[in-house]
Amino acid sequence: MPDLFLETPQYRLIIFGLVLGVVVVSVTFFVRVRERGFSSIWQGLFSNVTSESYDTIGGFLYLWLFILSVIFLKNLLGLVGILPPFRSDLWATANNPFASGYHPLLRTFLLFEIAGRTILLCGVVVVAEHFFKKHRRAPLLIIGFLLSYLVFLISEHLIANEIMKQFSKFLFGGWNPYYNKESISVLAVCLLWIPYFLRSKRVQGTFTH
């Protein structure tokens, strides 16, 4: 696997592509939210539609829209925070076998993180598009996205645990391989929302197109 240094054209091309992709995905997501989400919420809040009508997005689906936005921002910040321009010290360590914090899996972890976060961002856009169109496949897409997100975080944590084994004795308080805030949060989201999208009458009545 070739090293990624700032001076190489390959490096600059990869960074330019990632930045451009993140910008496009971000703009697409928030444009869709603005065009479809806000208007749907506004109409749902101030219309006289009865609670038994599921023609418009409403109820707990408002909360899901908020959670989806949080997931998008979380992955966007996670991706930006791991890019070489912002973590040049970490990438320098990953590319230098003689560095004090070097580990053979460190570069694999960083590339896995970049690829995974990018795919998740694209997944959020696809989910949001089907959600606002009230497509019948939207609930299954949401469930698949949440499970994929959880699998990604578990895989990420397993690689991180392997890397941190050699450093755990130097850390204050040690390294807890079973504690990860994001994984716990996503697991809680899965446990709450997957049954909702499988069994809710509102979901069955809303996503019919």
Side-chain angles (χ1 to χ4, degrees):
M1 186 182 297
D3 293 344
L4 297 176
F5 293 108
L6 184 59
E7 294 78 9
T8 61
Q10 295 88 347
Y11 173 92
R12 295 178 181 178
L13 182 62
I14 291 173
I15 297 304
F16 176 77
L18 283 172
V19 172
L20 182 62
V22 168
V23 170
V24 171
V25 169
S26 302
V27 171
T28 302
F29 175 75
F30 286 109
V31 165
R32 291 305 185 189
V33 170
R34 185 175 180 273
E35 288 180 350
R36 300 179 182 275
F38 291 163
S39 60
S40 297
I41 292 175
W42 187 267
Q43 293 172 4
L45 287 175
F46 295 96
S47 65
N48 294 323
V49 179
T50 62
S51 60
E52 296 299 324
S53 176
Y54 302 136
D55 293 336
T56 59
I57 294 175
F60 286 111
L61 294 179
Y62 293 154
L63 180 58
W64 165 250
L65 181 60
F66 171 76
I67 291 175
L68 188 64
S69 301
V70 172
I71 291 175
F72 181 87
L73 291 174
K74 175 66 177 177
N75 281 281
L76 179 61
L77 294 174
L79 176 60
V80 172
I82 206 70
L83 290 176
F86 302 99
R87 294 303 305 271
S88 57
D89 55 336
L90 190 58
W91 283 91
T93 301
N95 286 321
N96 184 8
F98 302 102
S100 59
Y102 175 80
H103 191 281
L105 289 176
L106 182 56
R107 185 165 50 168
T108 301
F109 173 79
L110 295 175
L111 294 174
F112 176 77
E113 183 79 4
I114 288 177
R117 298 287 179 183
T118 303
I119 293 172
L120 287 171
L121 285 175
C122 295
V124 171
V125 174
V126 173
V127 167
E129 183 70 13
H130 283 72
F131 178 84
F132 293 131
K133 287 182 177 180
K134 295 183 287 188
H135 198 283
R136 65 183 63 182
R137 294 182 181 176
L140 292 180
L141 280 175
I142 292 170
I143 293 171
F145 171 77
L146 289 176
L147 292 176
S148 299
Y149 191 8
L150 184 61
V151 170
F152 165 75
L153 292 176
I154 292 173
S155 302
E156 173 195 63
H157 197 56
L158 290 175
I159 300 174
N161 285 339
E162 192 64 29
I163 295 173
M164 293 303 297
K165 281 181 181 179
Q166 67 182 29
F167 305 113
S168 60
K169 60 183 178 182
F170 302 108
L171 296 176
F172 179 77
W175 167 259
N176 187 350
Y178 304 105
Y179 181 69
N180 183 280
K181 289 182 179 180
E182 189 175 5
S183 298
I184 295 174
S185 300
V186 173
L187 177 61
V189 169
C190 288
L191 293 176
L192 289 172
W193 286 100
I194 288 179
Y196 176 79
F197 280 105
L198 286 175
R199 305 186 63 179
S200 170
K201 291 183 179 179
R202 176 173 290 278
V203 170
Q204 295 173 5
T206 300
F207 300 101
T208 57
H209 297 289

